[in-house]
Amino acid sequence: MNEIREIKIDLNRPSINYKIHIGKNILNHIIDFLPKKNFSKIMLLTHSYLYELYGKSIEALFKENNYEFNLKLIEEGENSKDWNICHNVLEDMIQNNLDRSSLLLTLGGGVIGDLGGFCASIYQRGIDFLQIPTTLLACVDSSVGGKTAINLTNNGKNLIGSFYQPCSVVIDINLLKTLNQNEWKNGLAEVIKYAFIREDNAEFYKFLEQNKNEILERNNDEIILKMIETSVQSKAKVVMQDEYEKTGQRMLLNLGHTFAHVLESGSSYQIAHGTAVSIGMNLAVKLSRILNLITEETANKIIKLILDFGLEMQIPKQYNFNAEALVKAFVYDKKAENKKIKFVLPSGELSHSAVFSDISEKLLKDLFSISL
Ligand SMILES: NC(=O)c1ccc[n+]([C@@H]2O[C@H](COP(=O)([O-])OP(=O)(O)OC[C@H]3O[C@@H](n4cnc5c(N)ncnc54)[C@H](O)[C@@H]3O)[C@@H](O)[C@H]2O)c1
């Protein structure tokens, strides 16, 4: 087996601490990454073409090791983070007699991980689930930290969900080879975010700048592994300090996300999460400048990295967003308290962000008016 990097998520409760295994060609060793061996049944949740590409060999490995194996396929796309699909997955879990010592495997991007994690968290009050992320976004962000969710139809991005940690995460960069360039860039939006939220990531900004060509062209496994490992470590640190988003630390991971969520739901999820995040980071930078939280030099450095990676910065015209409706949609954000919307904004030094909750509606409308 190639070298495996292991990141421990220590949540001060030994029964739910787990490891994130990162490497190349490591999926063949998935049985070694199970936290225990005596699972009564395994169910794999994925999309049909991911099953063809990677799921079949996972199935073979489990069957060779005498596990009872079931498969559940769902449609790809954000619309699968939905009550009806969730209900349907739970029904299948019941039909297949999964019990409390069964394991749900999620093979896919953030959609599969968020939906599967949520199903695992409520089925029989919680069964084990193991994440095998297959998009860059899922590797560096959604598979780490135990946030699970489905959407409600109107403005309801991630409004139903739970904090529920996986029992193990296996990140094999070989699986990312089939990802198209758009999806790669969606993941890069979440990677870049880490460079701007905590001082201990100042070096990461330099790393990303220096290696942008290799990262975009995906031609250097060592650099890709280091980028994923650093991102996972950053997220892990925050999650270990603030598992339930109580102290404000974990909220920093939402840089650009308050804007992103209204753009995603306002476009009926036609704007992908990663794209919405890069547009959201641009809006956050603009807002920080208006509030004089950062210098123009710092703003330019942030924008330069977003541009260097060819990420989307402008709100697309075709959805006819208007400033008033966008501002109204903020009240559905989970971070809103007493109708006060919280924004994570770059503030001070380059790799520093903070949470602000006293942004007036007028300011937001003005921001959208100059950005639409
Ligand atoms: N739980 C969290 O902490 C967290 C964090 C960030 C984002 N999210 C959520 O993640 C979701 C977005 O995740 P995503 O960007 O991975 O989207 P996704 O799961 O929809 O995957 C994007 C596309 O890539 C395809 N795909 C996946 N793996 C592939 C592979 N290896 N090869 C080829 N194609 C592949 C999928 O079928 C899909 O069409 C959003 O719902 C967002 O809210 C959750």
Side-chain angles (χ1 to χ4, degrees):
M1 198 180 343
N2 291 321
E3 186 204 344
I4 300 175
R5 297 138 205 248
E6 274 187 359
I7 297 174
K8 277 192 189 148
I9 306 285
D10 185 345
L11 298 159
N12 291 323
R13 279 163 293 155
S15 62
I16 64 159
N17 292 344
Y18 61 100
K19 284 185 191 158
I20 297 171
H21 313 268
I22 306 171
K24 188 175 165 148
N25 288 324
I26 63 170
L27 193 58
N28 290 343
H29 300 269
I30 188 164
I31 304 287
D32 297 335
F33 304 134
L34 298 176
K36 60 179 191 185
K37 302 295 171 215
N38 55 344
F39 287 108
S40 58
K41 283 193 174 89
I42 311 291
M43 184 163 132
L44 174 67
L45 177 70
T46 189
H47 306 308
S48 56
Y49 73 94
L50 288 178
Y51 172 67
E52 293 296 326
L53 284 172
Y54 311 113
K56 277 187 173 166
S57 56
I58 296 175
E59 178 174 15
L61 281 170
F62 276 95
K63 285 185 170 165
E64 271 164 32
N65 283 276
N66 301 318
Y67 285 98
E68 201 179 307
F69 190 93
N70 300 289
L71 175 66
K72 175 67 182 166
L73 298 175
I74 61 162
E75 297 284 313
E76 59 184 295
E78 182 74 24
N79 289 339
S80 283
K81 277 175 62 172
D82 166 79
W83 264 124
N84 291 327
I85 308 283
C86 173
H87 182 237
N88 181 263
V89 172
L90 293 167
E91 285 287 352
D92 261 55
M93 291 164 87
I94 295 169
Q95 298 290 325
N96 287 310
N97 296 318
L98 265 68
D99 60 26
R100 279 192 159 171
S101 38
S102 300
L103 172 72
L104 183 71
L105 295 176
T106 56
L107 172 74
V111 164
I112 288 276
D114 278 14
L115 170 75
F118 182 57
C119 292
S121 76
I122 56 174
Y123 183 74
Q124 299 195 357
R125 300 206 174 91
I127 64 166
D128 282 326
F129 86 112
L130 183 152
Q131 295 237 38
I132 309 163
T134 63
T135 62
L136 177 60
L137 184 141
C139 292
V140 299
D141 196 349
S142 63
S143 68
V144 183
K147 275 191 183 176
T148 81
I150 56 172
N151 304 323
L152 290 180
T153 332
N154 293 318
N155 299 316
K157 176 75 183 170
N158 291 339
L159 277 196
I160 307 297
S162 55
F163 286 96
Y164 192 71
Q165 304 291 340
C167 61
S168 181
V169 180
V170 180
I171 298 177
D172 184 335
I173 62 162
N174 254 0
L175 278 54
L176 302 179
K177 299 262 189 262
T178 50
L179 208 58
N180 69 33
Q181 195 64 6
N182 264 352
E183 293 304 341
W184 185 252
K185 285 188 181 174
N186 277 333
L188 287 177
E190 298 283 19
V191 169
I192 285 178
K193 164 189 87 178
Y194 293 114
F196 303 129
I197 56 175
R198 280 168 63 114
E199 289 82 352
D200 49 2
N201 273 347
E203 287 299 313
F204 194 43
Y205 179 92
K206 288 187 202 146
F207 169 83
L208 293 172
E209 242 201 341
Q210 279 160 7
N211 296 294
K212 59 178 181 269
N213 293 335
E214 289 84 350
I215 292 171
L216 273 171
E217 285 162 24
R218 306 194 245 172
N219 56 10
N220 184 324
D221 287 341
E222 249 330 290
I223 286 175
I224 301 303
L225 280 167
K226 178 149 190 241
M227 174 182 83
I228 293 176
E229 187 185 9
T230 310
S231 302
V232 172
Q233 265 164 349
S234 301
K235 179 145 186 191
K237 264 188 215 162
V238 173
V239 169
M240 287 191 284
Q241 284 170 4
D242 184 16
E243 183 184 357
Y244 297 110
E245 210 163 281
K246 294 279 188 223
T247 68
Q249 274 302 308
R250 186 164 185 165
M251 213 175 277
L252 295 178
L253 297 167
N254 288 319
L255 175 63
H257 283 59
T258 308
F259 293 111
H261 288 169
V262 296
L263 296 174
E264 286 178 82
S265 37
S267 68
S268 301
Y269 302 109
Q270 296 305 300
I271 303 179
H273 180 72
T275 307
V277 167
S278 61
I279 300 169
M281 284 195 284
N282 183 27
L283 291 167
V285 170
K286 279 188 186 174
L287 190 52
S288 288
R289 276 300 292 145
I290 294 172
L291 295 167
N292 221 5
L293 299 173
I294 49 173
T295 62
E296 192 166 349
E297 191 194 351
T298 300
N300 289 341
K301 280 189 176 166
I302 300 175
I303 296 302
K304 182 174 181 307
L305 200 61
I306 301 175
L307 284 174
D308 278 353
F309 281 96
L311 306 184
E312 199 55 65
M313 302 243 297
Q314 307 305 333
I315 301 175
K317 298 273 178 230
Q318 75 252 43
Y319 302 105
N320 296 321
F321 286 115
N322 73 70
E324 189 114 353
L326 285 172
V327 171
K328 268 197 188 143
F330 281 130
V331 295
Y332 294 102
D333 192 272
K334 294 181 300 307
K335 293 175 287 305
E337 277 169 19
N338 294 327
K339 291 207 172 167
K340 283 205 162 173
I341 306 125
K342 293 184 181 165
F343 289 89
V344 179
L345 299 176
S347 149
E349 298 302 310
L350 177 64
S351 291
H352 184 266
S353 290
V355 181
F356 295 84
S357 59
D358 48 2
I359 315 286
S360 73
E361 277 195 21
K362 173 162 183 332
L363 191 55
L364 291 170
K365 275 186 200 153
D366 291 348
L367 173 70
F368 281 126
S369 303
I370 56 165
S371 308
L372 284 166

